[in-house]
Amino acid sequence: MAAYLIADVDITDAAVFEQYRREVPATEERYGGRYLARGGATKVFEGDWHPHRLVIIEFPDMASLSAWYDSPEYERLKEIRFRSARTRILAVEGITLSPT
């Protein structure tokens, strides 16, 4: 069953965050991750939510998503993200989307 990482990213230091943005896709791809949304326009229809930069990444399953998140190659990039952004991240199991 596919798993989706959903992140709300509030960038606090764009110069430092740029390194994270450049390097992170290659680490996700090694674990089967692919972007479904990455910083596009958002519109809140209900609730008290003020998203910043939303990112949605599909992984083959929760095990692959967790393996990427806990991987040594991503650990270094997390430190860069911690220094340059405030984030809220969650993972949810869902359905596998067919490629377009």
Side-chain angles (χ1 to χ4, degrees):
M1 178 179 295
Y4 300 92
L5 178 132
I6 303 169
D8 182 1
V9 183
D10 181 11
I11 299 169
T12 57
D13 186 331
V16 173
F17 190 81
E18 179 60 25
Q19 180 182 1
Y20 174 86
R21 191 194 62 72
R22 250 189 350 264
E23 295 182 30
V24 76
T27 67
E28 295 158 348
E29 290 170 8
R30 286 185 204 122
Y31 293 86
R34 70 182 182 116
Y35 285 97
L36 300 180
R38 188 176 184 192
T42 60
K43 182 175 182 177
V44 176
F45 286 98
E46 294 184 23
D48 184 22
W49 187 17
H50 306 284
H52 297 89
R53 175 184 168 85
L54 284 182
V55 177
I56 302 172
I57 307 166
E58 179 186 44
F59 285 85
D61 49 45
M62 192 65 78
S64 298
L65 189 159
S66 295
W68 164 75
Y69 187 82
D70 295 329
S71 69
E73 61 265 38
Y74 186 55
E75 191 64 34
R76 179 182 64 82
L77 295 175
K78 275 194 276 193
E79 293 302 321
I80 294 169
R81 181 172 49 80
F82 293 155
R83 290 193 322 264
S84 62
R86 288 186 298 272
T87 53
R88 290 184 285 177
I89 298 176
L90 63 90
V92 60
E93 287 185 329
I95 59 173
T96 300
L97 299 175
S98 59
T100 56

